[in-house]
Amino acid sequence: MTALHSPFSRKLGAFVALSGEELSALERLHGRRKSFAAGRDMVHQGQVNQSAYILASGWVCSYKLLSGGTRQIVDFQIPGDFLGLRSVLFRTADHNIEPVTRVEASEVLASDLLETFSRTPRLATAVLWAASRDEAMVVEHLVGIGRRDAKERTAHFLLELGARLKLVGLGTALEYSCPLSQYMLADAMGLSAVHVNRVLRELREDGLVTFQQGEVTIHDLDRLVTLADFDKTYLDHDGPLLK
Amino acid sequence: MTALHSPFSRKLGAFVALSGEELSALERLHGRRKSFAAGRDMVHQGQVNQSAYILASGWVCSYKLLSGGTRQIVDFQIPGDFLGLRSVLFRTADHNIEPVTRVEASEVLASDLLETFSRTPRLATAVLWAASRDEAMVVEHLVGIGRRDAKERTAHFLLELGARLKLVGLGTALEYSCPLSQYMLADAMGLSAVHVNRVLRELREDGLVTFQQGEVTIHDLDRLVTLADFDKTYLDHDGPLLK
DNA sequence: ATCGTGGACTGAGGCAGATCAGTGCCAGTG
DNA sequence: CACTGGCACTGATCTGCCTCAGTCCACGAT
């Protein structure tokens, strides 16, 4: 697969119109392809001189561990997402990265990344753009945990996931497959797994959305969007913002 | 005040060793100085073609409104912080920005910012660094709201604020002044104002920290750090990371 | 002087969601 | 085959935090 067709290039291209030269610089950035088994952390909190990765297939989650032994999942990454940018920029990882499924990813060496930035500066801007979008997702996540109740939060979460997957061609607005267990949802949404289970049942009984056997099916998009107060503008936009 | 001495330049310099030329490009970036009254929003959700700002003095908060009328404060900004980067990159603001006190800030036009990035690319990398640090703070905030109880969360919040203020010379590790009302703390921490009040009293009665009349005084740093599970590495580091 | 306003602070009562302690259903695996 | 471990799911109980409904300042405006 060339960078020209990689989901990552496509994503950056949505922010900054990329020249042929920039596209091939992106292509060279994709270093060695690596494979990771589900459940075994790719990166640990505190590790130094980590590489970053561009996710080709599979799902991963980024989380932080607390002293009490609980964890908070900050975000899930899906194919086309960039992993561990902060770990590279700060030389030491401030969070763990765990593959949720088997994962294929291209390693990006810190030195290559910084050199690419200096030689093709517009790519630095493009990556800044992508990082800002990630931050917007974390912010939305924060708002959800802080001010939405469990049902709204879960609805919002499932809608966001659907929108993201649709953007990379891994599902439709109404249906997608999702390898996350209820335990992981709980760790992501700041709930207990028990409560996630009950909330999913309620959403199902309300005829809004079903999440069973790894498949999410949205039955009533409008009502779900209203319940969740979901506004997808932070995920998407029309055409490159920088010509 | 020249950019050479502005807190913002100092902050970026902590990430990327800046040349004289880069420093003066930064200086030129500081556009018109503007002043804002407390309480009147500088930026609204949904506004397009906003400028960004570099905060010179005063405090502001960034928050999102929910349909229910509640709000979640995402972060507070203090002098030296960059405001509204996302609003500029995405052309439309996804959050509100409200001055907490009277505020002095330099306006940064979107076009100037992008032009600066293309002419002095290392500044794009530096801003990427700063944005990543902001994201790290939001992530820490997310973890707190998701997995820390009200007392730990409040302790963590006060410690983080102290560390940030110390970095820009506005307080010591043990004492600083803080213009935030308990209502704002509540909106930031995902609690009710009533509960914030009780938690602050408990922290005071435990001899850990006092927050009264706009002054925060930490009485027992060690126990507070332990309670909050506070690790300040995400805020600070030694020397520029990019020479 | 008094009124109004905004913030700190308090008590009582209710509820969302946590915790505890399970059951049942697979898919491995030795 | 029985045994194990992971996940979905459930009922009972408990609790952290919210909501409501106030009081009591300190202040600036009239």
Side-chain angles (χ1 to χ4, degrees):
Chain A
M1 175 166 62
T2 72
L4 286 163
H5 303 101
S6 85
F8 182 60
S9 307
R10 220 182 329 131
K11 201 160 90 177
L12 290 194
F15 294 119
V16 176
L18 297 171
S19 70
E21 188 196 338
E22 285 156 352
L23 280 168
S24 52
L26 260 189
E27 192 173 358
R28 282 192 304 276
L29 200 57
H30 289 69
R32 198 144 53 91
R33 179 64 74 95
K34 284 192 171 181
S35 182
F36 299 88
R40 205 121 60 200
D41 281 5
M42 299 164 64
V43 177
H44 285 95
Q45 243 161 287
Q47 245 177 356
V48 297
N49 295 323
Q50 261 313 119
S51 298
Y53 296 92
I54 296 167
L55 194 54
S57 73
W59 293 43
V60 311
C61 69
S62 315
Y63 67 96
K64 285 199 143 197
L65 279 175
L66 283 96
S67 58
T70 57
R71 69 171 181 173
Q72 174 67 45
I73 292 179
V74 172
D75 208 356
F76 296 100
Q77 275 81 36
I78 58 176
D81 285 346
F82 198 88
L83 306 182
L85 177 61
R86 281 210 313 286
S87 309
V88 165
L89 292 180
F90 290 108
R91 301 205 24 183
T92 138
D94 68 342
H95 57 279
N96 303 280
I97 299 184
E98 176 189 319
V100 172
T101 62
R102 168 156 285 280
V103 154
E104 298 282 327
S106 304
E107 190 173 13
V108 179
L109 298 177
S111 51
D112 288 353
L113 186 65
L114 292 171
E115 200 195 312
T116 302
F117 285 168
S118 68
R119 291 174 50 175
T120 38
R122 280 162 58 95
L123 288 181
T125 305
V127 169
L128 175 59
W129 240 294
S132 294
R133 178 186 183 262
D134 287 349
E135 187 182 344
M137 288 197 307
V138 176
V139 165
E140 196 56 51
H141 200 162
L142 170 70
V143 171
I145 292 192
R147 291 294 169 197
R148 277 189 261 263
D149 70 22
K151 212 164 166 179
E152 296 165 353
R153 204 183 302 172
T154 307
H156 194 279
F157 180 84
L158 294 175
L159 283 167
E160 180 186 285
L161 220 42
R164 290 175 63 189
L165 287 164
K166 189 183 161 199
L167 279 181
V168 289
L170 290 174
T172 70
L174 298 179
E175 199 156 9
Y176 56 91
S177 46
C178 171
L180 306 176
S181 72
Q182 296 183 348
Y183 289 86
M184 288 190 210
L185 293 186
D187 282 342
M189 297 196 295
L191 297 169
S192 68
V194 172
H195 204 61
V196 168
N197 183 283
R198 289 192 235 270
V199 167
L200 287 176
R201 172 160 52 79
E202 284 174 41
L203 289 172
R204 198 185 321 130
E205 287 170 357
D206 292 349
L208 292 171
V209 55
T210 303
F211 180 4
Q212 270 171 334
Q213 278 109 242
E215 289 295 321
V216 174
T217 313
I218 293 170
H219 303 302
D220 191 333
L221 184 61
D222 288 352
R223 271 171 60 221
L224 198 60
V225 166
T226 306
L227 170 66
D229 192 18
F230 180 65
D231 173 7
K232 75 181 175 70
T233 52
Y234 70 101
L235 291 173
D236 208 355
H237 54 88
D238 316 312
L241 292 161
L242 182 65
K243 294 292 182 291
Chain B
M1 175 165 64
T2 71
L4 286 163
H5 304 102
S6 85
F8 182 61
S9 308
R10 218 180 332 128
K11 200 162 94 176
L12 289 194
F15 294 120
V16 175
L18 297 171
S19 70
E21 188 195 337
E22 285 157 353
L23 280 169
S24 51
L26 260 190
E27 192 174 358
R28 282 192 304 277
L29 200 58
H30 289 69
R32 199 144 52 91
R33 178 63 75 96
K34 285 193 172 180
S35 182
F36 299 88
R40 206 121 60 199
D41 281 6
M42 301 164 62
V43 177
H44 287 96
Q45 242 160 288
Q47 245 178 355
V48 299
N49 295 324
Q50 261 314 117
S51 298
Y53 296 92
I54 296 167
L55 194 53
S57 73
W59 292 44
V60 310
C61 70
S62 316
Y63 68 97
K64 285 200 141 194
L65 281 174
L66 283 94
S67 57
T70 57
R71 68 170 182 175
Q72 173 69 44
I73 292 179
V74 173
D75 208 355
F76 297 99
Q77 274 82 35
I78 57 175
D81 285 346
F82 199 89
L83 307 184
L85 177 62
R86 281 211 312 287
S87 309
V88 165
L89 292 180
F90 289 109
R91 299 203 26 172
T92 140
D94 68 341
H95 58 278
N96 303 281
I97 299 183
E98 176 189 319
V100 171
T101 62
R102 168 157 284 281
V103 153
E104 298 283 326
S106 305
E107 189 172 12
V108 178
L109 297 177
S111 51
D112 289 352
L113 186 66
L114 292 171
E115 200 196 312
T116 302
F117 285 168
S118 69
R119 290 173 50 176
T120 39
R122 279 162 58 97
L123 287 181
T125 305
V127 170
L128 175 59
W129 241 293
S132 294
R133 178 186 183 261
D134 287 349
E135 187 181 344
M137 288 196 309
V138 176
V139 164
E140 197 55 51
H141 199 162
L142 171 70
V143 171
I145 292 192
R147 290 295 169 200
R148 277 189 262 261
D149 69 23
K151 210 164 166 179
E152 296 164 353
R153 205 182 302 171
T154 306
H156 194 279
F157 180 84
L158 294 175
L159 284 167
E160 182 187 283
L161 221 42
R164 288 174 64 189
L165 287 165
K166 189 183 161 198
L167 278 182
V168 288
L170 290 174
T172 70
L174 296 180
E175 198 155 9
Y176 57 91
S177 46
C178 171
L180 306 175
S181 73
Q182 294 183 350
Y183 288 86
M184 289 190 209
L185 294 186
D187 282 342
M189 297 197 295
L191 297 169
S192 68
V194 173
H195 204 61
V196 167
N197 183 282
R198 289 191 233 272
V199 167
L200 287 176
R201 172 161 53 78
E202 283 175 41
L203 289 172
R204 197 185 323 130
E205 286 169 357
D206 293 350
L208 292 171
V209 56
T210 303
F211 181 3
Q212 270 170 335
Q213 279 110 243
E215 289 295 321
V216 175
T217 313
I218 293 171
H219 303 300
D220 190 332
L221 185 60
D222 288 352
R223 271 170 60 221
L224 198 60
V225 166
T226 307
L227 170 66
D229 193 17
F230 181 64
D231 173 7
K232 74 180 173 70
T233 51
Y234 70 101
L235 291 174
D236 206 358
H237 54 87
D238 316 312
L241 292 160
L242 182 62
K243 294 292 183 287

